[in-house]
Amino acid sequence: MVEMRDAVKLATDFYVPTGAGPFPAVLIRTPYGKSAMESIGDGMRGVGIATIVQDLRGRFASEGIDCVFRCDGDGDLKDGYDTMAWLATLPAFDGHLVTWGGSALGIVQYMAASATPPALDAMWVAVGTPSVYEHAFYQGGAFRKELMENWLQGQGSSFFLQEVKDHPAGDPFWKPVQTAPDFADVRVPAVHEGGWYDIFAQGTIDAFVGYQHQGGDGAKGKQKLILGPWTHGGMRGTHQGQLDYPANAADPPQKFEDLLTTWLSHYLGMSPNQAAIDAIPPVIYYVMGN
């Protein structure tokens, strides 16, 4: 149970490799139950990488009330930052940290990056958005009723709909989840992975463009964008809704496994290879149609 700055404790699993440490680490923060990441933690442990998987505030075994990402960024509460600060104190941690995850697990990465956590080295974000109010709750000014009502109900957090009604666009209440004004505070490279049919396609593009051109030292000019013909739940697949794509729709020109291995190996300090990182094009996108 990792204590945050307001004394609320968040349930956290720490998968530590065998053998002499310290070890590089991958951090995954989730509202969907940390036990679902057990196979990833065990797999990473087998290749010498520590994995930290944490239930978000108010979710599953963690204390507190679900604040729907408002506690994960640069607001009064900074759960992502505090978790990384805790990790930095552990003897088993060697100082190399990459965050990973998609959808809600990606959104919390964008939120935390805006708080400039010093322990963070790089991010791999899939199908997320850096602007929760603008892209999740309201898109083009229209409330995304089906998406957000169903999602909040599934989280047991329908009470948050009243917060949405009570706090319109521009209200300071939303500042912690509208991170575009804070792109200059981001200091790390990131892969932004999304789909043309994804519910957060614009958010993925906005994050890449913002970090790439407005990011701070360590972020500006060091971003990668990958866009395929994918839906939110169909990443890296060839069958999307009623459409079937050729086999080349499953991967960019370089296989995902190779891209991920290259990214993690470099930023976790296991096999540093800046030339391999630089060889990944800044933008990889799938062109649909003939």
Side-chain angles (χ1 to χ4, degrees):
M1 300 300 290
V2 178
E3 188 169 328
M4 302 291 103
R5 61 188 61 200
D6 64 342
V8 167
K9 297 179 178 64
L10 304 188
T12 308
D13 290 341
F14 194 9
Y15 296 82
V16 186
T18 57
F23 305 100
V26 170
L27 173 63
I28 304 169
R29 304 184 63 244
T30 176
Y32 301 128
K34 56 187 174 57
S35 61
M37 297 294 165
E38 182 177 359
S39 62
I40 293 176
D42 285 338
M44 291 287 194
R45 180 164 54 187
V47 295
I49 300 171
T51 305
I52 298 89
V53 187
Q54 184 180 77
D55 287 336
L56 298 184
R57 179 182 293 253
R59 305 294 301 136
F60 288 84
S62 285
E63 298 176 354
I65 298 172
D66 183 11
C67 49
V68 191
F69 308 120
R70 291 183 60 258
C71 302
D72 298 302
D74 197 23
D76 292 337
L77 298 175
K78 298 176 172 62
D79 290 352
Y81 183 104
D82 290 352
T83 298
M84 295 183 211
W86 160 80
L87 174 63
T89 68
L90 301 182
F93 176 55
D94 76 356
H96 294 91
L97 174 64
V98 174
T99 56
W100 176 90
S103 193
L105 288 65
I107 290 173
V108 294
Q109 295 182 67
Y110 286 141
M111 301 299 105
S114 68
T116 323
L120 182 61
D121 290 296
M123 306 167 13
W124 186 293
V125 185
V127 292
T129 176
S131 301
V132 173
Y133 182 89
E134 180 182 352
H135 293 139
F137 285 101
Y138 285 87
Q139 186 162 276
F143 179 56
R144 303 187 78 173
K145 179 178 173 67
E146 181 179 16
L147 174 64
M148 295 315 298
E149 285 189 356
N150 288 343
W151 186 74
L152 288 170
Q153 183 178 10
Q155 303 301 296
S157 300
S158 294
F159 68 88
F160 197 78
L161 288 169
Q162 187 60 49
E163 300 281 13
V164 177
K165 295 175 182 177
D166 291 343
H167 300 282
D171 191 305
F173 178 88
W174 297 109
K175 186 180 184 302
V177 297
Q178 292 290 97
T179 69
D182 305 317
F183 284 155
D185 295 330
V186 178
R187 298 284 189 268
V188 298
V191 171
H192 311 266
E193 177 189 350
W196 290 125
Y197 302 119
D198 177 45
I199 56 176
F200 297 133
Q202 190 62 55
T204 298
I205 295 170
D206 287 356
F208 166 76
V209 172
Y211 284 21
Q212 182 78 343
H213 298 288
Q214 302 171 36
D217 293 341
K220 190 174 184 178
K222 297 182 179 180
Q223 306 299 307
K224 312 292 184 182
L225 173 66
I226 302 171
L227 282 172
W230 308 311
T231 57
H232 195 71
M235 294 298 291
R236 307 174 195 170
T238 58
H239 182 72
Q240 305 292 337
Q242 296 179 325
L243 302 176
D244 288 300
Y245 283 88
N248 65 3
D251 276 301
Q254 185 179 0
K255 286 191 174 296
F256 267 107
E257 291 78 4
D258 296 337
L259 285 170
L260 182 59
T261 298
T262 298
W263 192 260
L264 291 179
S265 296
H266 177 76
Y267 287 109
L268 291 178
M270 304 177 76
S271 297
N273 189 338
Q274 188 62 53
I277 295 295
D278 292 343
I280 302 172
V283 179
I284 301 171
Y285 64 96
Y286 191 89
V287 179
M288 298 185 287
N290 294 318

